Amino acid sequence: MGYVLSAVARVLEQPTAWGAACEMALLAGPLWAAALVGLLLGWAWRPRWAAGIVATAEPPQFTSLDFWRAQLPARLRGPFDYLAGTTTDAARQRQQEEAETSFQGSSEMANEELAVGKDDLVNLWRLVEGNDGGPAWIKMMEKALPNMTYQAWRRDPQNYPSQYQSSTIFENATPDEVRDFFGDDEFRISNKWDDMLISYNTLEECQTTGMMKVHWVRKFPFFCSDREYIIARRIWKLGGAYYCVTKGVPCSSIPRRNKPRRVDLYYSSWCIRAVESRRGNGGSTACEILLFHHEDMGIPNEIAKIGIRQGMWGCVKRIEPGLRAYQKARAAGEPPSKSALMARINTKVGDNFVRGLESNSDQSDIMEAEEKPVKNRVARFLVLGGAVALACTLDQGLLTKAVIFGVARKFVGQRNGL
């Protein structure tokens, strides 16, 4: 930070514009050199999925209207959207009506073809009970609002993306309300409590089991392309609790594109159950949702951990106002959406199934661990190099760049890593 400030001072001290330009060139030269080194190191240690994309990518279709539309900033895509007819409200409504018509009554899938089955339920049950045999969970944070409490943990399996567990307790909420709320994709977008979800489309559904296959497009930060997900989800009911498994599945009917980038490895499953209120009134008037999540976003794991930790609470605290708005809408008589109605179709599991799981479980004792310092200096160097490249790329003034350099230096100098 001192080097940057002294360089800025030298620029301001120059009596002529030519002298200031020379000083700025001297300042920018080392920064761009550092950015180039960071890019070379990043490419040398690129993940396997990046090599696969380079090896298998098809040449772009320069004659395609969609190709040229994708190259433009969002604010300049209006004429292309009008010509392609992709973003008008009427077109979206027609597409949604056609999609609903296409799967009603004709896309009910046989049980053997279901993408989410018994093994997925068993895996989620073991996660909830804490005997899945995985590594220790590291506590990340504990936050609270007047009507919500939140705790989060992380663990880092070998050769696998970091896994996250969270416990969120909502006061004055029932498991049925929370189940419908999290399953309502339409309300996610209209209420904007999940502001990362740009669009959704139901691809398949099963009226017998309630299983759905859904296409999501989610917004990522400006320096990343958006991501698309093909997910399958299904809900079971064990006693008074709901177990929902959501995971990424293959889909040959939707071809891969450069943008948004497809996320193949995705797992986000939860258990919803009634719990005693923290207010001590002796009744189970609160609802807990245990979430287990991991995904390969195509971002280096150390960078992803920093971003998730910094942005986690900002995303979570928007859930509680969204839930209260959802409760008011249902109390006012607004009909639930189709995805919320599908969430109400679930498979009931008897006590014998649970007893069988308990008798076969290994009862492994997973203790909670403390966070350990990061010893990988290469990862820290790459973070600092990435911050340099980002600061040189942004044209947002010296203050923004100074903040970026300060955050990077603080991260590199920390004893306790993320």
Side-chain angles (χ1 to χ4, degrees), residues 54-65:
V54 173
T56 61
E58 297 180 357
Q61 301 297 322
F62 294 103
T63 59
S64 170
L65 183 63

Side-chain angles (χ1 to χ4, degrees), residues 246-264:
T246 304
K247 66 177 186 178
V249 294
C251 182
S252 58
S253 62
I254 300 181
R256 293 179 180 272
R257 298 172 291 176
N258 291 333
K259 295 181 180 181
R261 179 177 294 173
R262 177 78 56 86
V263 174
D264 294 311

Side-chain angles (χ1 to χ4, degrees), residues 42-242:
W43 180 250
W45 285 308
R46 65 189 183 276
R48 290 190 298 273
W49 59 262
I53 291 176
V54 173
T56 61
E58 297 180 357
Q61 301 297 322
F62 294 103
T63 59
S64 170
L65 183 63
D66 291 338
F67 171 81
W68 293 110
R69 176 184 177 277
Q71 312 310 311
L72 293 174
R75 64 180 182 275
L76 300 179
R77 295 178 182 174
F80 286 87
D81 292 339
Y82 178 78
L83 293 174
T86 57
T87 59
T88 63
D89 294 338
R92 287 179 176 173
Q93 185 175 359
R94 286 196 303 270
Q95 291 174 359
Q96 185 173 358
E97 291 174 353
E98 292 172 359
E100 292 178 357
T101 304
S102 64
F103 61 67
Q104 284 179 353
S106 61
S107 64
E108 185 171 318
M109 296 164 287
N111 289 336
E112 62 270 19
E113 296 178 354
L114 292 177
V116 183
K118 175 183 174 182
D119 292 342
D120 298 297
L121 171 62
V122 172
N123 180 59
L124 176 57
W125 183 86
R126 294 188 184 280
L127 286 170
V128 172
E129 297 300 319
N131 55 22
D132 67 314
W137 291 101
I138 303 168
K139 192 165 187 178
M140 296 174 59
M141 69 174 61
E142 183 171 356
K143 300 284 186 178
L145 294 174
N147 291 308
M148 185 187 81
T149 57
Y150 178 78
Q151 298 180 77
W153 300 263
R154 192 197 73 239
R155 65 183 184 184
D156 301 306
Q158 292 184 353
N159 303 321
Y160 218 68
S162 296
Q163 299 177 352
Y164 297 89
Q165 175 187 356
S166 66
S167 169
T168 309
I169 298 179
F170 299 102
E171 298 288 342
N172 301 319
T174 66
D176 289 356
E177 291 174 335
V178 177
R179 175 205 62 199
D180 293 352
F181 171 69
F182 278 98
D184 197 329
D185 292 331
E186 182 178 322
F187 191 78
R188 282 176 181 261
I189 294 180
S190 63
N191 182 263
K192 297 183 179 180
W193 69 265
D194 183 0
D195 60 354
M196 291 184 65
L197 183 61
I198 300 175
S199 65
Y200 78 95
N201 181 32
T202 303
L203 304 176
E204 296 176 353
E205 66 176 5
C206 177
Q207 295 290 343
T208 302
T209 63
M211 204 213 78
M212 300 178 65
K213 183 183 287 187
V214 184
H215 177 231
W216 274 3
V217 177
R218 297 184 68 81
K219 178 177 63 177
F220 268 54
F222 67 93
F223 50 84
C224 298
S225 61
D226 295 336
R227 300 296 194 264
E228 72 169 356
Y229 302 77
I230 309 297
I231 61 173
R233 60 190 179 204
R234 182 181 176 185
I235 301 177
W236 287 265
K237 187 174 183 180
L238 282 72
Y242 293 102

Side-chain angles (χ1 to χ4, degrees), residues 215-359:
H215 177 231
W216 274 3
V217 177
R218 297 184 68 81
K219 178 177 63 177
F220 268 54
F222 67 93
F223 50 84
C224 298
S225 61
D226 295 336
R227 300 296 194 264
E228 72 169 356
Y229 302 77
I230 309 297
I231 61 173
R233 60 190 179 204
R234 182 181 176 185
I235 301 177
W236 287 265
K237 187 174 183 180
L238 282 72
Y242 293 102
Y243 287 72
C244 177
V245 174
T246 304
K247 66 177 186 178
V249 294
C251 182
S252 58
S253 62
I254 300 181
R256 293 179 180 272
R257 298 172 291 176
N258 291 333
K259 295 181 180 181
R261 179 177 294 173
R262 177 78 56 86
V263 174
D264 294 311
L265 179 56
Y266 178 82
Y267 184 87
S268 186
S269 300
W270 38 258
C271 171
I272 291 178
R273 58 193 179 187
V275 295
E276 185 176 350
S277 172
R278 64 173 179 168
R279 296 170 181 172
N281 54 17
S284 298
T285 58
C287 180
E288 179 186 32
I289 176 168
L290 287 172
L291 173 69
F292 300 89
H293 181 97
H294 64 266
E295 62 178 290
D296 185 358
M297 298 177 288
I299 300 174
N301 195 45
E302 293 299 322
I303 303 297
K305 288 197 296 187
I306 297 173
I308 291 174
R309 184 184 180 101
Q310 297 300 322
M312 180 178 288
W313 176 239
C315 295
V316 170
K317 66 183 180 181
R318 289 196 296 269
I319 300 178
E320 201 267 340
L323 174 61
R324 303 310 173 189
Y326 193 77
Q327 289 175 320
K328 291 180 180 179
R330 297 288 83 80
E334 294 186 16
S337 69
K338 187 172 183 62
S339 57
L341 291 175
M342 288 298 299
R344 299 178 182 181
I345 304 175
N346 44 75
T347 305
K348 294 180 174 59
V349 180
D351 295 337
N352 292 335
F353 180 78
V354 177
R355 283 195 292 268
L357 291 176
E358 291 175 344
S359 62

